[in-house]
Amino acid sequence: MAEREQVLLERGYVLHQRPYRESSQLLECMTATHGRMGLVARGSRRAGTRQRAHLQPFVPVKLSWIRRGDLGRLTHVEADGSSHDLSGQRLLAGYYINELLLRLLARGDPNGEVFSCYSRCLAHLGEASSAARALRVFELELLRALGYGLELDGDTATGEPLREERRYVYELEHGLRSVEARDSDSDVYSGRDLLALRNLTLDDDASLRTAQRLLGRALREHLGERPLKSRLVLQDIVSRGL
């Protein structure tokens, strides 16, 4: 029989919720020290329950649960700060990063770095700064936290540092390799834009497009062929900055 686990007041967020039985919910949560968790919130769909307001995406909470096996039972939830006020494109961006975590993380695999970069991204999405930049930084940091970080220091074939005026292709198993300016490969990246990604500046449309193209390619390697639902929605409004 699996050992009984009891956790008290763990910081976290609800990534997704769906109805479970008559009045309960099945939650997928991102937690600070236990990673992604599946929890049953008994009675949380009943009218007037205190839990309902807290068990929403983008609300920082403290969670307590008892678990024996894959699913735990939520025993307590309370607010851990103000909800991140996301609307419009920023709300879609929030659902996109939630779906990324659901697809890339296994339950019960602790990763404090993922929790930190997720929390930072929500904060940036709630501010006046660029939502597109917040997403690209999150994708880069998420890949690194999962052990799939991009090598952006220089040409892996020659050892030369990354140069603004050069053009490069990115080989996912090896890294960057410089190519001649006349190379017609559609998957060529400018050194200037790669430096902007490495340094997390990304302050113009060209560098953001390059980052989106390269990070999207890297993520697809780990997501498989099934597209993200939220990504398809974001692509429909790409001309507005995402």
Side-chain angles (χ1 to χ4, degrees), residues 151-166:
E151 294 292 338
L152 297 173
D153 290 332
D155 189 324
T156 55
T158 66
E160 292 185 353
L162 196 59
R163 298 187 184 280
E164 183 174 317
E165 70 278 5
R166 296 302 304 268

Side-chain angles (χ1 to χ4, degrees), residues 17-18 40 45 77 85 99 142 156 165 177 200 222:
Q17 78 273 68
R18 65 178 183 269
V40 175
R45 293 165 57 212
V77 59
D85 186 18
E99 191 177 0
L142 177 63
T156 55
E165 70 278 5
R177 176 173 55 82
L200 301 182
H222 308 291

Side-chain angles (χ1 to χ4, degrees), residues 195-237:
L195 283 167
L197 177 59
R198 188 187 72 183
N199 298 331
L200 301 182
T201 49
L202 299 173
D203 54 6
D204 59 54
D205 289 343
S207 61
L208 284 169
R209 284 194 298 270
T210 290
Q212 182 181 33
R213 187 157 52 96
L214 177 55
L215 290 165
R217 181 179 161 214
L219 286 166
R220 283 192 296 274
E221 286 290 309
H222 308 291
L223 290 167
E225 295 301 319
R226 182 163 58 95
L228 294 169
K229 294 178 182 178
S230 52
R231 185 69 171 180
L232 295 176
V233 176
L234 287 173
Q235 287 174 343
D236 288 340
I237 56 172

Side-chain angles (χ1 to χ4, degrees), residues 115 126 165 183 194:
F115 183 82
E165 70 278 5
D183 195 307
L194 291 169

Side-chain angles (χ1 to χ4, degrees), residues 101-149:
L101 295 188
L102 289 169
R103 288 279 296 274
L104 292 173
L105 300 180
R107 283 179 179 169
D109 185 11
N111 194 318
E113 287 185 56
V114 171
F115 183 82
S116 294
C117 68
Y118 176 74
S119 300
R120 284 194 300 272
C121 186
L122 287 182
H124 291 153
L125 287 174
E127 297 169 353
S129 58
S130 166
R133 181 183 181 279
L135 289 183
R136 302 296 82 82
V137 171
F138 172 74
E139 291 167 341
L140 184 68
E141 292 183 339
L142 177 63
L143 285 166
R144 186 181 300 134
L146 294 175
Y148 307 136

